[in-house]
Amino acid sequence: MIEEMIEKAFGALKYSYSPYSNFKVAAALLTEGGKIYTGCNIENAAYSPTNCAERTAVFKAVSEGERRFLAICIVNEDAEGNHDYCPPCGVCRQVLMEFADAEKLQVILAKNGKEYKVYTLAELLPLGFGPENL
Ligand code: THU
Protein backbone atom coordinates (compact mmCIF):
# COMPACT_ATOMS: atom_id res chain seq x y z
CA MET A 1 0.00 0.00 0.00
CA ILE A 2 2.85 2.43 0.80
CA GLU A 3 4.35 1.87 -2.66
CA GLU A 4 0.97 2.55 -4.29
CA MET A 5 0.54 5.75 -2.30
CA ILE A 6 4.03 6.95 -3.26
CA GLU A 7 3.29 6.25 -6.92
CA LYS A 8 -0.02 8.12 -6.77
CA ALA A 9 1.56 11.08 -4.98
CA PHE A 10 4.32 11.34 -7.60
CA GLY A 11 1.66 11.11 -10.30
CA ALA A 12 -0.12 14.15 -8.84
CA LEU A 13 3.00 16.37 -8.88
CA LYS A 14 2.25 17.31 -12.50
CA TYR A 15 -0.92 19.13 -11.36
CA SER A 16 0.91 21.34 -8.88
CA TYR A 17 0.15 25.00 -9.55
CA SER A 18 3.21 26.66 -8.08
CA PRO A 19 4.43 29.47 -10.36
CA TYR A 20 5.57 31.62 -7.40
CA SER A 21 7.64 29.18 -5.36
CA ASN A 22 8.45 26.71 -8.16
CA PHE A 23 8.17 24.14 -5.38
CA LYS A 24 5.79 21.34 -6.34
CA VAL A 25 4.13 19.29 -3.62
CA ALA A 26 1.68 16.41 -3.94
CA ALA A 27 -0.04 14.11 -1.51
CA ALA A 28 -1.90 10.80 -1.59
CA LEU A 29 -4.39 10.26 1.22
CA LEU A 30 -5.66 6.82 2.23
CA THR A 31 -9.21 6.54 3.62
CA GLU A 32 -10.34 3.94 6.14
CA GLY A 33 -12.26 2.29 3.29
CA GLY A 34 -9.09 1.90 1.21
CA LYS A 35 -9.62 4.70 -1.33
CA ILE A 36 -6.78 7.03 -2.24
CA TYR A 37 -7.34 10.74 -2.89
CA THR A 38 -4.56 12.85 -4.33
CA GLY A 39 -3.88 16.58 -3.99
CA CYS A 40 -1.34 19.19 -5.07
CA ASN A 41 -0.36 22.64 -3.87
CA ILE A 42 -2.33 25.46 -5.48
CA GLU A 43 -0.67 28.86 -5.24
CA ASN A 44 -2.18 32.31 -5.65
CA ALA A 45 -0.91 35.71 -6.83
CA ALA A 46 -1.99 37.11 -3.45
CA TYR A 47 0.18 34.39 -1.81
CA SER A 48 -1.80 33.78 1.40
CA PRO A 49 -4.73 31.96 -0.28
CA THR A 50 -2.26 29.24 -1.33
CA ASN A 51 -3.45 25.76 -0.45
CA CYS A 52 -1.02 22.99 0.46
CA ALA A 53 -1.13 19.62 -1.29
CA GLU A 54 -2.14 17.82 1.91
CA ARG A 55 -5.13 20.07 2.50
CA THR A 56 -6.18 19.79 -1.13
CA ALA A 57 -6.27 16.01 -0.72
CA VAL A 58 -8.16 16.18 2.59
CA PHE A 59 -10.69 18.69 1.28
CA LYS A 60 -11.28 16.68 -1.89
CA ALA A 61 -11.94 13.57 0.19
CA VAL A 62 -14.11 15.23 2.84
CA SER A 63 -16.15 16.97 0.15
CA GLU A 64 -16.97 13.52 -1.21
CA GLY A 65 -18.12 12.14 2.11
CA GLU A 66 -14.87 10.71 3.55
CA ARG A 67 -14.16 11.50 7.20
CA ARG A 68 -11.53 9.05 8.44
CA PHE A 69 -8.00 8.64 7.15
CA LEU A 70 -5.27 6.11 7.83
CA ALA A 71 -2.25 7.51 6.03
CA ILE A 72 -0.96 10.35 3.88
CA CYS A 73 2.06 10.28 1.61
CA ILE A 74 3.78 13.57 0.73
CA VAL A 75 6.28 14.17 -2.07
CA ASN A 76 7.88 17.23 -3.60
CA GLU A 77 9.95 18.48 -6.50
CA ASP A 78 12.00 21.66 -6.42
CA ALA A 79 12.82 23.96 -9.32
CA GLU A 80 15.86 21.82 -10.21
CA GLY A 81 13.79 18.65 -10.30
CA ASN A 82 15.14 17.31 -6.99
CA HIS A 83 13.00 15.31 -4.57
CA ASP A 84 13.52 15.57 -0.82
CA TYR A 85 11.57 14.70 2.32
CA CYS A 86 8.79 17.27 2.70
CA PRO A 87 7.22 17.41 6.17
CA PRO A 88 3.67 18.80 6.36
CA CYS A 89 3.24 22.38 7.57
CA GLY A 90 1.61 23.06 10.94
CA VAL A 91 -1.73 24.01 9.43
CA CYS A 92 -1.92 20.73 7.50
CA ARG A 93 -1.02 18.76 10.63
CA GLN A 94 -3.93 20.43 12.40
CA VAL A 95 -6.32 19.71 9.53
CA LEU A 96 -5.29 16.03 9.56
CA MET A 97 -5.87 15.96 13.34
CA GLU A 98 -9.56 16.60 12.74
CA PHE A 99 -10.10 13.44 10.73
CA ALA A 100 -7.76 10.84 12.16
CA ASP A 101 -6.54 9.04 15.22
CA ALA A 102 -3.22 10.86 15.69
CA GLU A 103 -1.57 7.79 17.19
CA LYS A 104 -2.48 5.74 14.11
CA LEU A 105 -2.36 8.11 11.14
CA GLN A 106 0.83 7.43 9.23
CA VAL A 107 2.59 10.35 7.57
CA ILE A 108 4.84 9.00 4.83
CA LEU A 109 7.53 11.33 3.52
CA ALA A 110 8.95 9.93 0.30
CA LYS A 111 11.98 10.87 -1.78
CA ASN A 112 11.26 8.12 -4.30
CA GLY A 113 9.64 4.68 -4.44
CA LYS A 114 12.30 3.16 -2.19
CA GLU A 115 13.39 5.94 0.15
CA TYR A 116 10.73 7.03 2.58
CA LYS A 117 10.21 7.78 6.28
CA VAL A 118 7.07 7.04 8.26
CA TYR A 119 5.87 9.03 11.28
CA THR A 120 2.59 9.08 13.15
CA LEU A 121 0.65 12.32 13.27
CA ALA A 122 1.06 12.23 17.07
CA GLU A 123 4.84 12.36 16.62
CA LEU A 124 4.55 15.40 14.35
CA LEU A 125 1.86 17.14 16.40
CA PRO A 126 2.39 16.21 20.05
CA LEU A 127 -0.43 17.22 22.38
CA GLY A 128 -2.46 18.31 19.37
CA PHE A 129 -5.87 19.85 19.86
CA GLY A 130 -8.64 17.79 18.29
CA PRO A 131 -12.40 17.20 18.38
CA GLU A 132 -12.03 15.21 21.59
CA ASN A 133 -10.73 18.28 23.43
CA LEU A 134 -14.03 20.10 23.00
N1 THU B 1 3.56 23.31 0.64
C1 THU B 1 2.71 22.24 0.61
O1 THU B 1 1.97 22.04 -0.36
N2 THU B 1 2.72 21.41 1.67
C2 THU B 1 3.51 21.55 2.77
O2 THU B 1 3.34 20.83 3.74
C3 THU B 1 4.57 22.57 2.77
C4 THU B 1 4.44 23.62 1.75
C5 THU B 1 3.57 24.21 -0.51
C6 THU B 1 2.96 25.56 -0.25
C7 THU B 1 3.63 26.39 -1.32
O3 THU B 1 2.91 26.27 -2.52
C8 THU B 1 4.99 25.74 -1.50
O4 THU B 1 4.89 24.47 -0.92
C9 THU B 1 6.14 26.50 -0.86
O5 THU B 1 5.88 26.77 0.46
Side-chain angles (χ1 to χ4, degrees), residues 40-86:
C40 63
N41 55 335
I42 304 170
E43 297 188 344
N44 188 278
Y47 292 11
S48 71
T50 291
N51 206 55
C52 290
E54 299 90 321
R55 273 177 288 148
T56 302
V58 171
F59 296 155
K60 278 172 69 179
V62 173
S63 70
E64 294 189 17
E66 303 288 349
R67 297 256 171 107
R68 301 304 293 171
F69 306 114
L70 296 177
I72 187 164
C73 172
I74 306 161
V75 302
N76 82 292
E77 186 176 297
D78 71 15
E80 282 79 46
N82 300 311
H83 308 287
D84 204 350
Y85 298 120
C86 181

